[in-house]
Amino acid sequence: MAVTILLGMMVIDNATGLIVGFIEKNLSSKMGIKWLMRKVYILLLIGGVYMIETLMFETGYIADGVAIAFIVTEFISITENGAKLGVPIPQQVRDL
């Protein structure tokens, strides 16, 4: 479930990033490819953690934790994109 949520957050981050890029008029295919490669790497990393953990512990808790950490990172990026768009962000969230 954590990886599914992560995929959803990645899609939302990409969409909000595209909106910001469109408004700021700085969209580029090079940046898009770099974004895609970073996201593919994250998914491969989590897949590797799942495989190693299944081999050693048969639990999945560690890999879920890694996926959740990346979910938080995606949420922060989505929030930053919102702030760039002028969406009012509570100060407590900005401080994070």
Side-chain angles (χ1 to χ4, degrees):
M1 181 56 101
V3 173
T4 303
I5 293 169
L6 176 60
L7 285 169
M9 295 296 278
M10 286 177 168
V11 168
I12 294 169
D13 180 39
N14 185 39
T16 58
L18 285 172
I19 293 168
V20 168
F22 178 77
I23 289 175
E24 294 180 351
K25 296 181 180 9
N26 64 355
L27 288 176
S28 82
S29 58
K30 186 176 181 180
M31 287 175 50
I33 295 293
K34 185 177 177 182
W35 176 89
L36 180 62
M37 293 298 111
R38 225 178 306 142
K39 302 306 178 180
V40 167
Y41 171 78
I42 290 168
L43 294 172
L44 291 172
L45 176 68
I46 292 171
V49 172
Y50 271 113
M51 289 188 284
I52 292 169
E53 186 177 10
T54 300
L55 176 68
M56 296 177 69
F57 306 113
E58 299 180 9
T59 61
Y61 298 129
I62 296 169
D64 283 346
V66 172
I68 290 168
F70 281 110
I71 289 169
V72 171
T73 303
E74 293 295 326
F75 180 75
I76 290 168
S77 178
I78 293 166
T79 304
E80 289 171 347
N81 289 338
K84 290 177 185 176
L85 293 169
V87 174
I89 306 294
Q91 190 60 43
Q92 298 87 344
V93 176
R94 285 179 185 258
D95 292 344
L96 290 174

Coordinates of all heavy atoms in Angstrom, one line a residue:
M1 N 0.8 -1.2 0.0 CA 0.0 0.0 0.0 C 0.9 1.3 0.0 O 0.5 2.2 -0.6 CB -0.9 0.0 1.2 CG -1.8 1.2 1.3 SD -2.8 1.4 -0.2 CE -4.4 0.8 0.4
A2 N 2.0 1.2 0.7 CA 2.9 2.4 0.8 C 3.4 2.8 -0.6 O 3.5 4.0 -0.9 CB 4.0 2.2 1.8
V3 N 3.8 1.8 -1.4 CA 4.3 2.1 -2.7 C 3.2 2.7 -3.6 O 3.5 3.6 -4.4 CB 5.0 0.9 -3.3 CG1 5.4 1.1 -4.8 CG2 6.2 0.4 -2.5
T4 N 2.0 2.2 -3.5 CA 0.9 2.7 -4.2 C 0.6 4.2 -3.9 O 0.4 5.0 -4.8 CB -0.4 1.9 -4.0 OG1 -0.1 0.5 -4.3 CG2 -1.6 2.4 -4.8
I5 N 0.7 4.5 -2.6 CA 0.5 5.9 -2.2 C 1.7 6.7 -2.7 O 1.5 7.9 -3.2 CB 0.3 6.0 -0.7 CG1 -1.0 5.3 -0.3 CG2 0.4 7.4 -0.2 CD1 -1.1 5.1 1.2
L6 N 2.9 6.2 -2.6 CA 4.0 6.9 -3.1 C 3.9 7.2 -4.6 O 4.1 8.3 -5.1 CB 5.3 6.1 -2.9 CG 6.6 6.7 -3.5 CD1 6.9 8.1 -2.9 CD2 7.8 5.8 -3.2
L7 N 3.4 6.3 -5.4 CA 3.2 6.5 -6.8 C 2.2 7.6 -7.0 O 2.4 8.5 -7.9 CB 2.7 5.2 -7.5 CG 3.8 4.2 -7.8 CD1 3.1 2.9 -8.2 CD2 4.8 4.6 -8.8
G8 N 1.1 7.6 -6.3 CA 0.1 8.7 -6.4 C 0.7 10.0 -6.0 O 0.4 11.1 -6.7
M9 N 1.5 10.1 -5.0 CA 2.1 11.4 -4.6 C 3.1 11.8 -5.6 O 3.3 13.0 -5.9 CB 2.9 11.2 -3.2 CG 1.9 10.9 -2.1 SD 0.8 12.2 -1.7 CE 1.8 13.3 -0.7
M10 N 3.8 10.9 -6.3 CA 4.7 11.3 -7.4 C 4.0 11.9 -8.5 O 4.4 12.9 -9.1 CB 5.5 10.0 -7.8 CG 6.6 9.6 -6.9 SD 7.4 8.1 -7.6 CE 8.8 8.0 -6.5
V11 N 2.8 11.3 -8.9 CA 2.0 11.9 -9.9 C 1.5 13.3 -9.6 O 1.6 14.2 -10.4 CB 0.8 10.9 -10.2 CG1 -0.2 11.6 -11.2 CG2 1.3 9.6 -10.9
I12 N 1.1 13.5 -8.3 CA 0.6 14.8 -7.9 C 1.8 15.8 -7.9 O 1.6 16.9 -8.4 CB 0.0 14.7 -6.5 CG1 -1.3 13.9 -6.5 CG2 -0.3 16.1 -5.9 CD1 -1.9 13.5 -5.2
D13 N 3.0 15.4 -7.4 CA 4.1 16.2 -7.5 C 4.5 16.6 -8.9 O 4.8 17.8 -9.2 CB 5.3 15.5 -6.8 CG 6.6 16.4 -6.8 OD1 6.4 17.6 -6.6 OD2 7.7 15.8 -7.0
N14 N 4.4 15.7 -9.8 CA 4.7 16.0 -11.2 C 3.7 17.0 -11.8 O 4.1 17.9 -12.4 CB 4.7 14.7 -12.0 CG 5.2 14.9 -13.5 OD1 6.0 15.7 -13.7 ND2 4.5 14.3 -14.4
A15 N 2.5 16.7 -11.5 CA 1.4 17.6 -12.0 C 1.6 19.1 -11.5 O 1.5 20.0 -12.2 CB 0.0 17.1 -11.7
T16 N 1.8 19.2 -10.2 CA 2.0 20.5 -9.6 C 3.3 21.2 -10.1 O 3.3 22.4 -10.3 CB 1.9 20.5 -8.0 OG1 2.9 19.6 -7.5 CG2 0.6 20.0 -7.5
G17 N 4.3 20.4 -10.3 CA 5.6 20.9 -10.8 C 5.4 21.4 -12.2 O 5.9 22.4 -12.6
L18 N 4.6 20.7 -13.0 CA 4.3 21.1 -14.4 C 3.6 22.4 -14.4 O 3.8 23.3 -15.2 CB 3.6 20.1 -15.2 CG 4.4 18.9 -15.6 CD1 3.5 17.8 -16.2 CD2 5.4 19.3 -16.6
I19 N 2.6 22.6 -13.5 CA 1.8 23.8 -13.4 C 2.7 25.0 -13.0 O 2.7 26.0 -13.6 CB 0.7 23.6 -12.3 CG1 -0.4 22.6 -12.8 CG2 0.0 25.0 -12.0 CD1 -1.4 22.2 -11.8
V20 N 3.6 24.7 -12.0 CA 4.6 25.8 -11.6 C 5.5 26.1 -12.8 O 5.7 27.3 -13.1 CB 5.4 25.4 -10.4 CG1 6.6 26.3 -10.2 CG2 4.5 25.3 -9.2
G21 N 6.0 25.1 -13.5 CA 6.9 25.4 -14.6 C 6.2 26.1 -15.7 O 6.7 27.0 -16.4
F22 N 4.9 25.8 -16.0 CA 4.1 26.5 -17.0 C 3.9 28.0 -16.6 O 4.1 28.9 -17.5 CB 2.8 25.8 -17.2 CG 1.9 26.5 -18.2 CD1 2.1 26.3 -19.6 CD2 0.8 27.3 -17.8 CE1 1.3 26.9 -20.5 CE2 0.0 27.9 -18.7 CZ 0.2 27.7 -20.1
I23 N 3.5 28.2 -15.4 CA 3.3 29.6 -15.0 C 4.6 30.4 -14.9 O 4.6 31.6 -15.4 CB 2.6 29.6 -13.6 CG1 1.2 29.1 -13.7 CG2 2.6 31.0 -12.9 CD1 0.4 28.9 -12.5
E24 N 5.7 29.8 -14.5 CA 6.9 30.5 -14.4 C 7.7 30.5 -15.8 O 8.8 31.1 -15.9 CB 7.8 29.9 -13.4 CG 7.3 30.1 -12.0 CD 8.2 29.5 -10.9 OE1 9.2 28.8 -11.2 OE2 7.9 29.8 -9.7
K25 N 7.1 29.8 -16.8 CA 7.6 29.7 -18.1 C 9.1 29.2 -18.1 O 10.0 29.7 -18.8 CB 7.6 31.1 -18.8 CG 6.2 31.6 -19.0 CD 6.2 32.9 -19.7 CE 4.8 33.5 -20.0 NZ 3.6 33.0 -19.5
N26 N 9.3 28.1 -17.4 CA 10.6 27.5 -17.4 C 10.5 26.0 -17.5 O 11.3 25.2 -16.9 CB 11.4 27.9 -16.2 CG 10.8 27.4 -14.9 OD1 9.7 26.8 -14.9 ND2 11.5 27.6 -13.8
L27 N 9.6 25.5 -18.3 CA 9.5 24.0 -18.6 C 10.6 23.6 -19.6 O 11.0 24.4 -20.5 CB 8.2 23.7 -19.3 CG 6.9 23.8 -18.4 CD1 5.7 23.5 -19.2 CD2 7.0 22.8 -17.3
S28 N 11.2 22.5 -19.3 CA 12.2 22.0 -20.2 C 12.2 20.4 -20.2 O 12.0 19.8 -19.1 CB 13.6 22.5 -19.9 OG 14.2 21.7 -18.8
S29 N 12.4 19.8 -21.3 CA 12.4 18.4 -21.4 C 13.6 17.8 -20.6 O 13.5 16.7 -20.0 CB 12.5 17.9 -22.8 OG 13.6 18.4 -23.5
K30 N 14.7 18.5 -20.5 CA 15.9 18.0 -19.8 C 15.5 17.9 -18.3 O 15.9 16.9 -17.6 CB 17.0 19.0 -19.9 CG 18.3 18.5 -19.3 CD 19.5 19.5 -19.6 CE 20.8 18.9 -19.0 NZ 21.9 19.8 -19.2
M31 N 14.8 18.9 -17.7 CA 14.4 18.8 -16.4 C 13.4 17.7 -16.2 O 13.4 17.0 -15.1 CB 13.7 20.2 -15.9 CG 14.8 21.3 -15.7 SD 14.0 22.9 -15.3 CE 12.9 22.5 -14.0
G32 N 12.5 17.5 -17.1 CA 11.5 16.4 -17.1 C 12.2 15.0 -17.0 O 11.8 14.1 -16.3
I33 N 13.2 14.8 -17.9 CA 13.9 13.6 -17.9 C 14.6 13.3 -16.6 O 14.6 12.2 -16.0 CB 14.9 13.5 -19.1 CG1 14.1 13.6 -20.4 CG2 15.8 12.3 -19.0 CD1 13.3 12.3 -20.7
K34 N 15.2 14.4 -16.1 CA 15.9 14.3 -14.8 C 15.0 13.9 -13.7 O 15.3 13.0 -12.9 CB 16.6 15.6 -14.5 CG 17.5 15.5 -13.2 CD 18.2 16.9 -13.0 CE 19.0 16.8 -11.7 NZ 19.7 18.1 -11.5
W35 N 13.8 14.5 -13.7 CA 12.7 14.2 -12.7 C 12.4 12.7 -12.8 O 12.3 12.0 -11.8 CB 11.5 15.1 -12.9 CG 10.4 14.8 -12.0 CD1 10.2 15.3 -10.8 CD2 9.4 13.8 -12.2 NE1 9.1 14.7 -10.2 CE2 8.5 13.8 -11.1 CE3 9.0 13.0 -13.3 CZ2 7.4 13.0 -10.9 CZ3 7.9 12.2 -13.1 CH2 7.1 12.2 -12.0
L36 N 12.1 12.3 -14.0 CA 11.7 10.9 -14.3 C 12.7 9.9 -13.8 O 12.4 8.9 -13.1 CB 11.4 10.7 -15.7 CG 10.9 9.3 -16.1 CD1 9.6 8.9 -15.4 CD2 10.8 9.2 -17.6
M37 N 14.0 10.2 -14.1 CA 15.1 9.3 -13.7 C 15.2 9.2 -12.2 O 15.4 8.1 -11.6 CB 16.4 9.7 -14.3 CG 16.5 9.6 -15.8 SD 16.3 7.9 -16.3 CE 14.7 7.9 -17.1
R38 N 15.0 10.3 -11.5 CA 15.1 10.4 -10.0 C 13.9 9.5 -9.5 O 14.2 8.7 -8.5 CB 14.9 11.8 -9.6 CG 15.9 12.2 -8.5 CD 15.8 13.6 -8.0 NE 15.9 14.5 -9.1 CZ 15.2 15.6 -9.2 NH1 14.4 16.0 -8.3 NH2 15.4 16.4 -10.3
K39 N 12.7 9.6 -10.0 CA 11.6 8.9 -9.5 C 11.8 7.4 -9.8 O 11.5 6.5 -8.9 CB 10.3 9.4 -10.1 CG 10.0 10.8 -9.9 CD 10.0 11.2 -8.4 CE 9.8 12.7 -8.3 NZ 9.8 13.2 -6.9
V40 N 12.3 7.0 -10.9 CA 12.5 5.6 -11.3 C 13.6 5.1 -10.3 O 13.4 3.9 -9.8 CB 13.0 5.5 -12.7 CG1 13.6 4.1 -13.0 CG2 11.8 5.7 -13.7
Y41 N 14.6 5.8 -10.0 CA 15.6 5.4 -9.0 C 15.0 5.1 -7.7 O 15.3 4.1 -7.0 CB 16.8 6.4 -8.9 CG 17.7 6.1 -7.8 CD1 18.6 5.1 -7.9 CD2 17.6 6.7 -6.5 CE1 19.5 4.7 -6.9 CE2 18.4 6.3 -5.5 CZ 19.3 5.3 -5.7 OH 20.1 5.0 -4.6
I42 N 14.2 6.0 -7.2 CA 13.5 5.8 -5.9 C 12.7 4.6 -5.9 O 12.8 3.8 -4.9 CB 12.6 7.1 -5.6 CG1 13.5 8.3 -5.3 CG2 11.7 6.8 -4.4 CD1 12.7 9.6 -5.2
L43 N 12.0 4.3 -6.9 CA 11.2 3.1 -7.0 C 12.0 1.8 -7.0 O 11.7 0.8 -6.4 CB 10.2 3.1 -8.2 CG 9.1 4.2 -8.1 CD1 8.3 4.3 -9.4 CD2 8.2 3.9 -6.9
L44 N 13.1 1.9 -7.8 CA 14.1 0.8 -7.8 C 14.7 0.5 -6.5 O 14.9 -0.6 -6.0 CB 15.2 1.0 -8.9 CG 14.7 0.9 -10.3 CD1 15.8 1.4 -11.3 CD2 14.2 -0.4 -10.7
L45 N 15.1 1.6 -5.8 CA 15.7 1.5 -4.5 C 14.7 0.8 -3.5 O 15.1 -0.1 -2.8 CB 16.0 2.9 -3.9 CG 16.6 3.0 -2.5 CD1 17.9 2.3 -2.4 CD2 16.7 4.4 -2.1
I46 N 13.5 1.3 -3.5 CA 12.5 0.7 -2.6 C 12.2 -0.8 -2.9 O 12.1 -1.7 -2.1 CB 11.2 1.5 -2.6 CG1 11.4 2.8 -2.0 CG2 10.1 0.7 -1.9 CD1 10.2 3.8 -2.2
G47 N 12.2 -1.1 -4.2 CA 12.1 -2.5 -4.7 C 13.2 -3.4 -4.2 O 13.0 -4.5 -3.7
G48 N 14.4 -2.8 -4.2 CA 15.6 -3.5 -3.7 C 15.5 -3.8 -2.2 O 15.8 -4.8 -1.7
V49 N 15.1 -2.7 -1.5 CA 14.9 -2.9 0.0 C 13.9 -4.0 0.3 O 14.1 -4.8 1.1 CB 14.5 -1.5 0.6 CG1 14.2 -1.7 2.1 CG2 15.7 -0.5 0.5
Y50 N 12.8 -4.0 -0.5 CA 11.7 -5.0 -0.3 C 12.3 -6.4 -0.5 O 12.1 -7.3 0.3 CB 10.6 -4.8 -1.2 CG 9.5 -3.9 -0.7 CD1 9.2 -2.7 -1.2 CD2 8.7 -4.4 0.4 CE1 8.2 -1.9 -0.7 CE2 7.7 -3.6 0.9 CZ 7.4 -2.3 0.3 OH 6.4 -1.5 0.8
M51 N 13.1 -6.6 -1.6 CA 13.7 -7.9 -1.9 C 14.7 -8.3 -0.8 O 14.6 -9.5 -0.3 CB 14.4 -7.9 -3.2 CG 13.4 -7.8 -4.4 SD 14.2 -8.0 -6.0 CE 14.9 -6.4 -6.2
I52 N 15.6 -7.4 -0.4 CA 16.5 -7.8 0.7 C 15.8 -8.1 2.0 O 16.1 -9.1 2.7 CB 17.6 -6.7 0.9 CG1 18.5 -6.6 -0.4 CG2 18.4 -6.9 2.1 CD1 19.3 -5.3 -0.4
E53 N 14.8 -7.3 2.3 CA 14.1 -7.5 3.6 C 13.3 -8.8 3.5 O 13.3 -9.5 4.5 CB 13.2 -6.3 3.8 CG 12.5 -6.4 5.2 CD 11.6 -5.2 5.5 OE1 11.4 -4.4 4.6 OE2 11.2 -5.1 6.6
T54 N 12.7 -9.1 2.4 CA 12.0 -10.4 2.3 C 12.9 -11.6 2.5 O 12.6 -12.6 3.1 CB 11.3 -10.5 0.9 OG1 10.4 -9.4 0.8 CG2 10.5 -11.8 0.8
L55 N 14.1 -11.5 1.9 CA 15.1 -12.5 2.0 C 15.6 -12.7 3.5 O 15.7 -13.8 4.0 CB 16.3 -12.2 1.1 CG 17.5 -13.2 1.2 CD1 17.1 -14.5 0.6 CD2 18.7 -12.6 0.5
M56 N 15.8 -11.6 4.2 CA 16.4 -11.7 5.5 C 15.3 -11.8 6.6 O 15.5 -12.5 7.6 CB 17.3 -10.4 5.7 CG 18.5 -10.4 4.8 SD 19.5 -9.0 5.0 CE 20.2 -9.3 6.6
F57 N 14.2 -11.0 6.5 CA 13.3 -10.9 7.6 C 11.9 -11.3 7.3 O 11.1 -11.6 8.2 CB 13.3 -9.5 8.2 CG 14.6 -8.9 8.5 CD1 15.2 -7.9 7.8 CD2 15.4 -9.4 9.6 CE1 16.4 -7.4 8.1 CE2 16.6 -8.9 9.9 CZ 17.1 -7.9 9.1
E58 N 11.5 -11.3 6.1 CA 10.1 -11.7 5.7 C 9.1 -10.8 6.3 O 8.0 -11.3 6.6 CB 9.9 -13.2 5.9 CG 10.8 -14.1 5.2 CD 10.5 -15.6 5.5 OE1 9.5 -15.9 6.1 OE2 11.3 -16.4 5.0
T59 N 9.3 -9.5 6.5 CA 8.3 -8.7 7.1 C 7.8 -7.6 6.2 O 6.6 -7.4 6.0 CB 8.9 -8.0 8.4 OG1 10.0 -7.2 8.0 CG2 9.3 -9.0 9.4
G60 N 8.7 -6.8 5.6 CA 8.3 -5.6 4.8 C 8.2 -4.3 5.5 O 7.9 -3.3 4.9
Y61 N 8.4 -4.4 6.8 CA 8.2 -3.1 7.6 C 9.3 -2.1 7.3 O 9.0 -0.9 7.2 CB 8.3 -3.4 9.1 CG 7.1 -4.3 9.6 CD1 7.4 -5.5 10.3 CD2 5.8 -4.1 9.2 CE1 6.4 -6.3 10.8 CE2 4.8 -4.9 9.7 CZ 5.1 -6.0 10.4 OH 4.1 -6.8 10.9
I62 N 10.5 -2.5 7.1 CA 11.6 -1.6 6.8 C 11.3 -0.9 5.5 O 11.4 0.3 5.3 CB 13.0 -2.2 6.8 CG1 13.2 -2.8 8.3 CG2 14.1 -1.3 6.4 CD1 14.4 -3.7 8.3
A63 N 11.0 -1.7 4.4 CA 10.8 -1.1 3.1 C 9.5 -0.2 3.1 O 9.6 0.8 2.5 CB 10.6 -2.3 2.1
D64 N 8.5 -0.5 3.9 CA 7.4 0.4 4.0 C 7.8 1.7 4.7 O 7.3 2.7 4.3 CB 6.3 -0.3 4.9 CG 5.5 -1.3 4.1 OD1 5.6 -1.4 2.9 OD2 4.7 -2.1 4.8
G65 N 8.7 1.6 5.6 CA 9.2 2.8 6.3 C 10.0 3.7 5.3 O 9.8 4.9 5.3
V66 N 10.8 3.0 4.4 CA 11.5 3.8 3.4 C 10.5 4.5 2.4 O 10.7 5.6 2.1 CB 12.5 2.9 2.6 CG1 13.1 3.6 1.5 CG2 13.6 2.3 3.6
A67 N 9.5 3.7 2.0 CA 8.5 4.3 1.1 C 7.8 5.4 1.8 O 7.5 6.5 1.2 CB 7.5 3.2 0.7
I68 N 7.4 5.3 3.1 CA 6.8 6.4 3.8 C 7.6 7.6 3.9 O 7.2 8.8 3.8 CB 6.3 5.9 5.2 CG1 5.1 4.9 5.0 CG2 5.8 7.1 6.1 CD1 4.8 4.1 6.2
A69 N 8.9 7.4 4.1 CA 9.9 8.6 4.1 C 9.8 9.3 2.8 O 9.8 10.5 2.8 CB 11.3 8.1 4.5
F70 N 9.8 8.6 1.7 CA 9.7 9.2 0.4 C 8.3 9.9 0.2 O 8.2 10.9 -0.5 CB 10.1 8.3 -0.7 CG 11.6 8.1 -0.9 CD1 12.1 6.8 -0.6 CD2 12.4 9.1 -1.4 CE1 13.5 6.6 -0.7 CE2 13.7 8.9 -1.5 CZ 14.3 7.7 -1.2
I71 N 7.3 9.3 0.7 CA 6.0 9.9 0.7 C 6.0 11.3 1.3 O 5.5 12.3 0.8 CB 4.9 9.0 1.3 CG1 4.6 7.8 0.5 CG2 3.6 9.8 1.5 CD1 3.8 6.7 1.1
V72 N 6.6 11.4 2.5 CA 6.8 12.7 3.2 C 7.5 13.7 2.3 O 7.2 14.8 2.2 CB 7.4 12.5 4.5 CG1 7.8 13.8 5.2 CG2 6.5 11.6 5.5
T73 N 8.6 13.2 1.7 CA 9.4 14.1 0.8 C 8.6 14.6 -0.4 O 8.6 15.8 -0.7 CB 10.6 13.3 0.3 OG1 11.4 12.8 1.4 CG2 11.5 14.2 -0.6
E74 N 7.8 13.7 -1.0 CA 6.9 14.1 -2.1 C 5.9 15.1 -1.6 O 5.6 16.1 -2.3 CB 6.1 12.9 -2.7 CG 7.0 11.9 -3.4 CD 7.7 12.5 -4.6 OE1 7.1 13.3 -5.3 OE2 8.8 12.1 -4.9
F75 N 5.3 14.9 -0.4 CA 4.3 15.9 0.2 C 5.0 17.2 0.4 O 4.4 18.3 0.1 CB 3.8 15.3 1.5 CG 2.8 16.3 2.1 CD1 1.5 16.4 1.6 CD2 3.1 17.1 3.2 CE1 0.6 17.3 2.1 CE2 2.2 17.9 3.7 CZ 0.9 18.0 3.2
I76 N 6.2 17.3 0.9 CA 6.9 18.5 1.1 C 7.1 19.2 -0.3 O 6.8 20.4 -0.4 CB 8.3 18.3 1.7 CG1 8.0 17.9 3.2 CG2 9.1 19.6 1.7 CD1 9.3 17.4 3.9
S77 N 7.4 18.5 -1.3 CA 7.6 19.1 -2.7 C 6.3 19.6 -3.2 O 6.2 20.7 -3.8 CB 8.2 18.0 -3.6 OG 8.3 18.5 -4.9
I78 N 5.2 18.9 -3.0 CA 3.9 19.3 -3.4 C 3.5 20.6 -2.7 O 3.0 21.6 -3.3 CB 2.8 18.2 -3.1 CG1 3.1 17.0 -4.1 CG2 1.4 18.8 -3.3 CD1 2.3 15.8 -3.7
T79 N 3.8 20.7 -1.4 CA 3.5 21.9 -0.6 C 4.4 23.1 -1.1 O 3.9 24.2 -1.3 CB 3.8 21.6 0.9 OG1 3.1 20.5 1.3 CG2 3.5 22.8 1.7
E80 N 5.7 22.8 -1.4 CA 6.5 23.9 -2.0 C 6.0 24.4 -3.3 O 6.0 25.6 -3.6 CB 7.9 23.4 -2.2 CG 8.7 23.2 -0.9 CD 10.0 22.5 -1.1 OE1 10.3 21.9 -2.2 OE2 10.8 22.4 -0.1
N81 N 5.5 23.5 -4.2 CA 4.9 23.9 -5.4 C 3.7 24.7 -5.2 O 3.5 25.7 -5.9 CB 4.5 22.7 -6.3 CG 5.7 21.9 -6.8 OD1 6.8 22.5 -6.9 ND2 5.6 20.7 -7.1
G82 N 2.9 24.4 -4.2 CA 1.7 25.2 -3.9 C 2.1 26.6 -3.5 O 1.5 27.6 -3.9
A83 N 3.1 26.7 -2.6 CA 3.6 28.0 -2.2 C 4.1 28.8 -3.4 O 3.8 30.0 -3.4 CB 4.7 27.8 -1.2
K84 N 4.7 28.2 -4.3 CA 5.2 28.9 -5.5 C 4.0 29.4 -6.4 O 4.1 30.4 -7.1 CB 6.1 28.0 -6.4 CG 7.4 27.7 -5.8 CD 8.2 26.8 -6.7 CE 9.5 26.4 -6.1 NZ 10.2 25.3 -6.8
L85 N 2.9 28.7 -6.3 CA 1.7 29.1 -7.0 C 0.9 30.2 -6.2 O -0.1 30.7 -6.7 CB 0.8 27.9 -7.3 CG 1.4 26.9 -8.2 CD1 0.5 25.6 -8.2 CD2 1.4 27.5 -9.6
G86 N 1.3 30.5 -5.0 CA 0.6 31.5 -4.2 C -0.5 31.0 -3.3 O -1.3 31.8 -2.8
V87 N -0.5 29.7 -3.2 CA -1.5 29.1 -2.3 C -1.1 29.4 -0.9 O 0.1 29.2 -0.5 CB -1.6 27.5 -2.5 CG1 -2.5 26.9 -1.5 CG2 -2.0 27.2 -3.9
P88 N -2.1 29.8 0.0 CA -1.7 30.1 1.3 C -1.3 28.9 2.1 O -2.1 27.9 2.2 CB -2.9 30.8 1.9 CG -4.1 30.4 1.0 CD -3.5 30.1 -0.3
I89 N -0.1 28.8 2.6 CA 0.4 27.7 3.3 C 0.6 28.1 4.8 O 1.2 29.1 5.1 CB 1.8 27.2 2.8 CG1 1.7 26.9 1.3 CG2 2.3 26.0 3.5 CD1 0.8 25.8 0.9
P90 N 0.0 27.3 5.8 CA 0.1 27.7 7.2 C 1.6 27.8 7.6 O 2.5 27.0 7.1 CB -0.5 26.6 7.9 CG -1.5 25.9 6.9 CD -0.8 26.1 5.6
Q91 N 1.9 28.7 8.4 CA 3.3 29.0 8.8 C 3.9 27.7 9.4 O 5.1 27.4 9.2 CB 3.4 30.1 9.8 CG 4.8 30.6 10.1 CD 5.5 31.1 8.9 OE1 5.0 31.8 8.1 NE2 6.8 30.7 8.7
Q92 N 3.2 26.9 10.2 CA 3.7 25.7 10.8 C 4.2 24.7 9.7 O 5.3 24.1 9.9 CB 2.7 25.0 11.7 CG 2.2 25.7 12.8 CD 1.1 26.7 12.5 OE1 0.8 27.0 11.4 NE2 0.4 27.1 13.6
V93 N 3.5 24.7 8.6 CA 3.9 23.8 7.5 C 5.1 24.4 6.8 O 6.1 23.7 6.4 CB 2.7 23.6 6.5 CG1 3.2 22.8 5.3 CG2 1.6 22.9 7.2
R94 N 5.2 25.7 6.6 CA 6.3 26.3 6.0 C 7.6 26.1 6.8 O 8.7 25.9 6.3 CB 6.1 27.8 5.8 CG 5.1 28.2 4.7 CD 5.0 29.7 4.7 NE 4.0 30.1 3.7 CZ 4.2 30.6 2.5 NH1 5.5 30.7 2.2 NH2 3.3 30.9 1.7
D95 N 7.4 26.1 8.1 CA 8.6 25.9 9.0 C 9.2 24.5 8.9 O 10.4 24.4 9.1 CB 8.2 26.2 10.5 CG 7.9 27.7 10.7 OD1 8.3 28.5 9.9 OD2 7.2 28.0 11.8
L96 N 8.3 23.6 8.6 CA 8.8 22.2 8.4 C 9.8 22.1 7.2 O 10.7 21.4 7.1 CB 7.7 21.2 8.2 CG 6.8 21.0 9.4 CD1 5.6 20.1 9.0 CD2 7.7 20.3 10.5

